[in-house]
Amino acid sequence: GKQMARRYLTNPVSQPPACMAVPEEETSVFENPTPAQQQVLALVHKLAPQYGVSPRLALAVIRAESNFNPGAVSNKNAQGLMQLIPETAARFNVAKPFDPEQNIRGGLSYLRWLLAYFKGDVALVAAGYNAGEGAVNRYRGIPPFAETRGYVKRIMEEYPRENHPYDAAVTGPSPDLPHIRLRRMM
């Protein structure tokens, strides 16, 4: 009984009520964006669909990572709008992390990869973006770091959906996913 109920709760067969739906167009997370923010919004709306990533999810990540500052640098040397660490920049061929378009392309490539790896589970994708997919596998779920937990919450507030479409051809799923799914249900 419980598992049946769970299945119906997490995979609605019918359309969610209108108040729950997140219209994709309504992705402007700002009342009055500055010209610099407008430039980022336009880039995300242009590029995100090419990577199969919701603009709203990409903008949630950009807001949480750099608050739309293309020159942002963290204490871990994460760089630019989507805060790419040098390893991630290299992995997704980003030569100029402070170039907004290159940075967004790199971040979208990583999100597309994480979406396939975690089969569209938004909370795990957000945790992987923040702490690395290795940490999510090691802890078999969202790692118990306050920063990561807070980060996942912020992303889920801006992109309030449990699942996001993904392209299974990008990469195979995490070998730990069955254990992660199981632990989440318990």
Side-chain angles (χ1 to χ4, degrees):
K2 209 173 200 178
Q3 266 195 313
M4 272 307 262
R6 175 82 201 186
R7 185 171 305 143
Y8 284 111
L9 284 175
T10 51
N11 304 321
V13 184
S14 60
Q15 281 298 306
C19 63
M20 297 282 292
V22 184
E24 284 298 329
E25 306 74 52
E26 180 227 301
T27 35
S28 118
V29 272
F30 305 102
E31 295 301 302
N32 303 301
T34 65
Q37 288 167 341
Q38 265 166 346
Q39 192 194 350
V40 174
L41 284 165
L43 270 173
V44 169
H45 278 282
K46 186 183 91 177
L47 298 173
Q50 300 171 19
Y51 291 83
V53 175
S54 154
R56 195 180 181 99
L57 177 60
L59 289 168
V61 169
I62 290 172
R63 170 175 257 187
E65 290 291 346
S66 66
N67 205 18
F68 293 80
N69 171 11
V73 180
S74 80
N75 55 1
K76 294 183 180 132
N77 201 25
Q79 299 172 328
L81 288 168
M82 298 190 77
Q83 288 290 281
L84 306 175
I85 56 170
E87 292 81 357
T88 308
R91 182 172 161 193
F92 296 104
N93 305 313
V94 178
K96 297 187 197 144
F98 297 109
D99 173 81
E101 178 163 344
Q102 273 200 34
N103 189 288
I104 291 170
R105 284 186 182 278
L108 289 170
S109 299
Y110 189 27
L111 284 173
R112 175 175 64 183
W113 188 92
L114 287 166
L115 283 162
Y117 192 69
F118 291 122
K119 289 188 158 179
D121 186 313
V122 175
L124 296 178
V125 167
Y129 198 97
N130 177 263
E133 61 272 10
V136 177
N137 287 335
R138 248 192 331 279
Y139 288 99
R140 294 198 163 173
I142 298 165
F145 316 138
E147 185 203 323
T148 303
R149 295 266 154 116
Y151 183 88
V152 171
K153 207 171 148 239
R154 287 175 71 186
I155 300 300
M156 302 291 293
E157 276 163 12
E158 302 250 358
Y159 186 81
R161 293 179 179 174
E162 286 188 17
N163 297 290
H164 181 298
Y166 64 93
D167 178 355
V170 172
T171 188
S174 159
D176 294 296
L177 205 51
H179 310 296
I180 293 171
R181 288 271 159 85
L182 200 67
R183 289 218 12 210
R184 265 188 135 191
M185 284 185 158
M186 281 150 60

